[in-house]
Amino acid sequence: MKSEQVPGGTPVAEMSYTEASSELDAIVEFFEQREVDVDQLVARLARATAIAEELDRRVRLTRAQVEELVPKLQSVASESDAGDYEHLEGGAYDVGDDLAGEDGFSEDD
């Protein structure tokens, strides 16, 4: 089922994730607390299905975007980190290098 509008509701595709999730929670709570007639049951179940499918679609899309972006971020971070330490030999890093003057000693020494 696509993101269809169930009578009386905002089109699911126009809702924020939080709004849709809250409405789905309210529908579930409604079912748990009341006896509903058949017409309400079908309408609310259809709405819940539309919302659940849309939320699932959004989660899958977001997951794909994150899986695409994380390696790019890691690559940028690795390149940045490597550039910060290019002046070091043997991979050792001394925090004092950043704080000390050219002679290796701070001005206070």
Side-chain angles (χ1 to χ4, degrees), residues 60-80:
R60 283 185 280 114
L61 176 63
T62 300
R63 182 178 294 132
Q65 291 171 331
V66 167
E67 288 173 355
E68 179 182 333
L69 293 172
V70 166
K72 291 178 182 180
L73 180 60
Q74 289 172 332
S75 175
V76 169
S78 294
E79 291 171 8
S80 176

Side-chain angles (χ1 to χ4, degrees), residues 18-109:
T18 301
E19 291 169 334
S21 181
S22 293
E23 184 176 337
L24 185 58
D25 289 342
I27 292 170
V28 169
E29 185 177 319
F30 181 84
F31 284 136
E32 290 175 345
Q33 295 181 355
R34 297 178 176 88
E35 289 186 32
V36 292
D37 65 49
V38 174
D39 293 331
Q40 286 184 335
L41 177 91
V42 172
R44 289 181 187 258
L45 189 56
R47 178 71 172 173
T49 301
I51 292 170
E53 288 176 342
E54 177 63 16
L55 293 179
D56 182 62
R57 183 192 69 76
R58 291 182 191 182
V59 167
R60 283 185 280 114
L61 176 63
T62 300
R63 182 178 294 132
Q65 291 171 331
V66 167
E67 288 173 355
E68 179 182 333
L69 293 172
V70 166
K72 291 178 182 180
L73 180 60
Q74 289 172 332
S75 175
V76 169
S78 294
E79 291 171 8
S80 176
D81 288 345
D84 290 343
Y85 306 112
E86 285 178 354
H87 66 283
L88 301 174
E89 294 181 23
Y93 181 73
D94 182 358
V95 175
D97 289 346
D98 288 338
L99 303 175
E102 287 185 22
D103 62 357
F105 297 97
S106 66
E107 294 178 22
D108 294 336
D109 289 339

